Amino acid sequence: MYILYYSPGTASMVVHLALLEIGAPHKLELVDFKANAQRDPEYLKLNPQGRVPTLIVDGKPVFESAALLMLLAERHPEARLAPAVGTPERAAWYQWIVYMANTLMPAYRLWFYPPDAAGTEEHPANVRAAIQKKIEGAFDLLDAHLSTHGPYMLGEFSGVDLLLTMLMRWSRNMPKPATEWPALKKLADQVRARASWKKLYEVEGLTEW
Ligand SMILES: N[C@@H](CCC(=O)N[C@@H](CS)C(=O)NCC(=O)O)C(=O)O
């Protein structure tokens, strides 16, 4: 039994989606951001940065959403969230997960948490524009890849597409949402039609794309 510490619509989404795709028994523990529960000393013992997700795996806490996606795919190969080890597709799978975790994730963190960067409540306009450019640059690259190799990142569906759709969703209120890139929109439309996505919306109480 896995235990997922989550907050609706956040980085825990990809882990929740993976658990639903796998059909793995799991229990959800809400980390209530409104009550600042991510800073609770008990929670900090599980996740010293005070962030979600944290997944309890065999009794031990593990954090970082992309690492958790890879771990779950490895522990449940029958769910086919990852291509077989040793194949060129597996190499591409690692590449894209790490690319997204290294580019989009930190850029979003800066976008949504200005105090992380400079300790101020809001970024100056030029810093905000630079972060936006970084996020849009990643979408340019991903869309170009999908235009020739799509409809999914590896051609066929895999866990990478869950990660990408979660990251796309976070841009919905940005000046240029990810759905404005045609191949990205096509991918997201297919992921959003999956049973796991619909179930997550129901369980996490999400309504907005
Ligand atoms: N790189 C981390 C990012 C985790 C992260 O920044 N989570 C955010 C929600 S998306 C969070 O917990 N924010 C609460 C806070 O920082 O107080 C991951 O992918 O797990």
Side-chain angles (χ1 to χ4, degrees):
M1 168 71 84
Y2 294 105
I3 303 173
L4 175 62
Y5 287 83
Y6 83 107
S7 170
T10 66
S12 52
M13 249 185 118
V14 68
V15 184
H16 194 180
L17 285 168
L19 290 167
L20 292 168
E21 288 280 342
I22 291 162
H26 61 275
K27 195 174 140 214
L28 296 173
E29 288 286 350
L30 177 70
V31 180
D32 186 357
F33 284 4
K34 285 193 205 96
N36 216 22
Q38 73 273 31
R39 297 265 141 227
D40 188 290
E42 283 308 304
Y43 184 68
L44 291 175
K45 285 183 196 162
L46 304 176
N47 187 316
Q49 292 193 101
R51 295 181 185 172
V52 293
T54 304
L55 187 69
I56 308 296
V57 182
D58 298 335
K60 292 202 169 65
V62 185
F63 52 84
E64 285 299 333
S65 59
L68 288 166
L69 171 64
M70 293 194 271
L71 179 66
L72 287 171
E74 182 186 294
R75 286 170 63 98
H76 302 276
E78 70 290 349
R80 300 169 67 92
L81 290 177
V85 174
T87 60
E89 291 77 18
R90 181 72 167 220
W93 184 80
Y94 287 124
Q95 171 190 289
W96 290 120
I97 291 179
V98 174
Y99 174 75
M100 290 173 203
N102 271 343
T103 55
L104 282 168
M105 286 277 196
Y108 271 127
R109 181 82 205 173
L110 290 175
W111 181 266
F112 288 119
Y113 295 89
D116 270 14
T120 52
E121 276 314 304
E122 196 41 88
H123 291 303
N126 62 330
V127 174
R128 202 152 185 82
I131 302 168
Q132 184 186 331
K133 197 169 162 208
K134 189 151 181 64
I135 293 173
E136 292 180 1
F139 288 144
D140 285 341
L141 188 150
L142 292 161
D143 190 73
H145 169 78
L146 284 169
S147 304
T148 44
H149 299 93
Y152 295 108
M153 285 304 292
L154 305 184
E156 289 185 9
F157 173 76
S158 78
V160 178
D161 305 304
L162 300 176
L163 180 61
L164 178 52
T165 310
M166 174 186 85
L167 293 166
M168 286 181 62
R169 182 177 180 275
W170 295 350
S171 72
R172 67 192 182 282
N173 296 320
M174 289 185 65
K176 186 174 176 188
T179 43
E180 289 191 19
W181 281 262
L184 282 173
K185 176 165 188 321
K186 201 168 156 198
L187 178 143
D189 285 345
Q190 299 193 70
V191 172
R192 289 188 284 182
R194 293 183 77 83
S196 63
W197 190 271
K198 292 179 183 160
K199 182 73 184 169
L200 179 140
Y201 263 57
E202 193 187 308
V203 176
E204 296 198 1
L206 298 179
T207 47
E208 270 188 289
W209 143 238

